[in-house]
Amino acid sequence: MALMPAPFVDATQPRGLRYGLLTAASGPLDLPPKAVVSGVRFDPRSCGGAHTYPISCPTDDPDEKIFDPADATIEADTFAVYATYECSRVGRSASQLEERVRRRLTNGEQLAAETGMADVLAAGAVPLTAPDDTNLRSVVGELEEWLYGSAGAAYGNIGFLHAPIRWAVHFADHGLLQRIGPVWTTNLGTIVVFGGGYPDDGIIYISGSVTVWRSPDVNVPPAEETWDRETNTFHLLAEREYAVAYDCVAASAGFAPEVTIS
């Protein structure tokens, strides 16, 4: 039995956020003040494609050129991400408590942003079926062919694959990953996001370029304003707003690996 309380020491700093949406996406960009309620909208730069046209002799009847409609404006709704911290007021200053709830938000906001991204993908993705949904190469090939191929979306820029954390092992085992700078990609160059906020339901998504916005400041009400005098307890809150969007197109395909029990 200890004769005296153990001394407090400084905790070591974490090595950094895990790999995920905030590593791979464009941003996080500052969310404009007015967007906190209304969300953001933008005209994408990476939608649309081109056509071939024969070089005809002057005596030939020329083919008519195809005129495509303007790209649709993309709208991204905002959602709040928050963390809480409940404790007694004994042994900690107000500033220390406020810093703790800020740190808790930092620890959890990437997963919350991925959850928001998963909702956006599920709402807009075109469902596809791979020739062999037990083979990850078949699933990834089907998704990339749809995104980049002329029979699918004909997307001309680098796309994003979105998969739950569990599938990182499968991607590696199938030789489907390479590291380029801070991000993982397929052999074709498609950026792969393994997100803790993506549901582990066997669905892999592919999309156009992904962008994340968030409020530049974290809202932390002063600790003294959260003190409950009857219980001698602080109820601290840290909150910021996010918006996420993908450009142009998205599709999904199921992956159901065969499991052998030995």
Side-chain angles (χ1 to χ4, degrees):
M1 184 175 183
L3 299 179
M4 62 182 64
F8 272 101
V9 297
D10 292 334
T12 57
Q13 291 294 327
R15 293 184 178 272
L17 291 177
R18 62 162 173 81
Y19 181 81
L21 183 65
L22 299 187
T23 311
S26 297
L29 307 178
D30 285 350
L31 194 65
K34 293 182 179 180
V36 170
V37 175
S38 63
V40 296
R41 57 181 179 171
F42 61 97
D43 292 324
R45 298 180 177 179
S46 59
C47 300
H51 307 278
T52 59
Y53 186 78
I55 305 300
S56 304
C57 295
T59 57
D60 296 337
D61 293 330
D63 294 342
E64 290 188 7
K65 288 186 170 69
I66 299 171
F67 287 84
D68 297 315
D71 298 322
T73 297
I74 296 176
E75 298 185 3
D77 294 330
T78 50
F79 55 92
V81 177
Y82 73 95
T84 58
Y85 194 87
E86 184 179 281
C87 62
S88 72
R89 66 177 298 133
V90 177
R92 296 290 184 275
S93 68
S95 61
Q96 288 175 321
L97 295 176
E98 292 166 11
E99 177 56 31
R100 287 197 172 195
V101 76
R102 285 178 181 271
R103 170 56 67 179
R104 184 166 284 183
L105 178 65
T106 299
N107 292 341
E109 60 186 328
Q110 177 168 236
L111 186 142
E114 291 165 349
T115 302
M117 188 76 249
D119 292 340
V120 172
L121 288 165
V126 175
L128 305 175
T129 301
D132 181 2
D133 66 1
T134 67
N135 186 311
L136 186 59
R137 289 179 177 270
S138 176
V139 174
V140 171
E142 184 71 17
L143 290 167
E144 289 188 320
E145 175 63 31
W146 177 88
L147 184 66
Y148 302 124
S150 60
Y155 189 73
N157 297 281
I158 295 173
F160 280 66
L161 277 164
H162 309 258
I165 293 289
R166 182 189 302 275
W167 302 139
V169 174
H170 291 282
F171 271 74
D173 285 347
H174 286 76
L176 291 172
L177 288 179
Q178 59 180 347
R179 190 69 177 260
I180 299 180
V183 300
W184 290 103
T185 78
T186 67
N187 297 324
L188 191 60
T190 305
I191 294 172
V192 186
V193 181
F194 298 108
Y198 297 154
D200 189 5
D201 56 3
I203 302 297
I204 298 174
Y205 292 93
I206 198 165
S207 73
S209 183
V210 175
T211 306
V212 176
W213 297 263
R214 69 182 177 189
S215 301
D217 299 317
V218 177
N219 176 34
V220 180
E224 293 298 335
E225 294 181 4
T226 73
W227 181 36
D228 185 336
R229 288 177 170 76
E230 292 185 2
T231 61
N232 198 33
T233 302
F234 285 106
H235 300 276
L236 294 113
L237 171 73
E239 185 175 21
R240 80 193 318 177
E241 293 76 28
Y242 268 79
V244 296
Y246 63 83
D247 281 5
C248 314
V249 292
S252 64
F255 172 47
E258 293 180 341
V259 178
T260 302
I261 300 176
S262 57

